[in-house]
């Protein structure tokens, strides 16, 4: 399964479709025959804008004030109607979105967990907005929203939302598998031939279930700094473990540092 080749093949078709060298926002919703891929492209555009906005905040301003929040939303709405992407820049966006499509298809629960973990706090509106990017898993977000309503919760940390997800069965979707195989030109078996990497060697370091360790590592990977991530991990290590050596801990933190430094 050569995703770079699949991306280039798609890009060649897109270049033929557009006579100009710019792709506009209205084009993206139908830019490929896969609606889910198109939605992931839009999601990744939005996520990049949010990351850029967060990284360029200046400490002298109150970004949580209602006026700033509303102005930011208005600005995003204006920008979304003025998307203009050079074809050469679209290539990387397309490739990353194809990679996301494969991960979502083969490992839907883990992919959606990671995506939810990128935001610290959710309310009903944010979950509803997030659901629009997942063509085949919108029912999951309905369940999560109803869970919040049942518990009279106006908002929840992403870690709590992820815990809710642990109690929900999320199966791979046959229609999405077919769609993904058609868009990248692969067999179903190829989607599942590489198991997701787990930190299974480190499960014994914690007095937690394997699933709780996975969630802890996920939460750590979303911390703003590696120091924060390391502190979260160290705080949850077994208090008394004679088999846990400093070399083991360094190995775990080194692995986490590698994951933490990867681009989104």
């Amino acid at each position: 399964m050569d995703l770079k080749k699949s991306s280039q093949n798609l890009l060649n078709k897109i270049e033929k479709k557009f006579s100009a060298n710019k792709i506009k926002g209205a084009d993206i919703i139908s830019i490929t025959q896969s609606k889910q891929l198109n939605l992931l492209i839009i999601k990744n555009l939005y996520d990049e804008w949010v990351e850029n906005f967060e990284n360029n905040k200046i400490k002298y301003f109150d970004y949580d004030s209602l006026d700033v929040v509303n102005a930011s939303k208005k600005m995003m709405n204006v920008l979304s109607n003025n998307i203009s992407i050079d074809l050469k820049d679209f290539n990387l966006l397309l490739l990353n979105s194809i990679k996301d499509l494969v991960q979502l298809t083969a490992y839907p629960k883990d992919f959606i967990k990671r995506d939810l973990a990128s935001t610290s706090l959710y309310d009903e509106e944010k979950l509803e907005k997030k659901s629009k990017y997942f063509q085949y898993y919108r029912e999951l977000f309905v369940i999560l929203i109803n869970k919040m309503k049942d518990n009279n919760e106006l908002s929840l940390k992403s870690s709590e939302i992820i815990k809710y997800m642990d109690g929900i069965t999320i199966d791979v979707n046959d229609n999405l598998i077919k769609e993904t195989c058609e868009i990248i030109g692969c067999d179903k078996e190829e989607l599942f031939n590489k198991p997701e990497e787990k930190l299974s060697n480190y499960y014994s370091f914690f007095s937690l279930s394997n699933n709780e360790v996975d969630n802890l590592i996920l939460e750590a990977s979303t911390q703003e700094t590696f120091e924060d991530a390391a502190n979260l991990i160290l705080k949850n290590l077994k208090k008394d473990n004679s088999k846990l050596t400093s070399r083991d801990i360094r190995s775990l933190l080194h692995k986490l540092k590698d994951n933490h430094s990867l681009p989104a």
Side-chain angles (χ1 to χ4, degrees), residues 169-186:
T169 299
I170 304 174
D171 296 322
V172 296
N173 186 285
D174 289 337
N175 291 328
L176 180 55
I177 290 173
K178 181 180 178 182
E179 184 176 316
T180 301
C181 288
E182 288 177 353
I183 199 75
I184 66 176
C186 73

Side-chain angles (χ1 to χ4, degrees), residues 121-153:
L121 198 66
Y122 284 93
D123 56 18
E124 182 179 341
E125 181 183 358
K126 285 185 178 180
L127 283 175
E128 175 63 31
K129 183 175 181 180
K130 181 71 73 173
S131 73
K132 296 177 181 179
Y133 296 121
F134 296 97
Q135 171 76 4
Y136 295 95
Y137 292 100
R138 290 181 179 173
E139 181 61 29
L140 165 65
F141 291 88
V142 172
I143 294 172
L144 292 174
I145 290 171
N146 288 337
K147 183 74 172 177
M148 288 181 64
K149 289 180 177 178
D150 291 342
N151 293 337
N152 295 317
E153 293 160 330

Side-chain angles (χ1 to χ4, degrees), residues 20-25 27-28 31 41-42 45 82-94:
N21 291 323
K22 297 281 188 179
I23 294 175
K24 303 299 183 181
D27 301 325
I28 297 176
I31 198 155
I41 293 171
I42 295 171
L45 272 173
N82 289 275
I83 293 171
S84 181
I85 309 172
D86 287 333
L87 282 170
K88 59 183 177 63
D89 295 325
F90 188 73
N91 191 16
L92 181 59
L93 176 63
L94 179 62

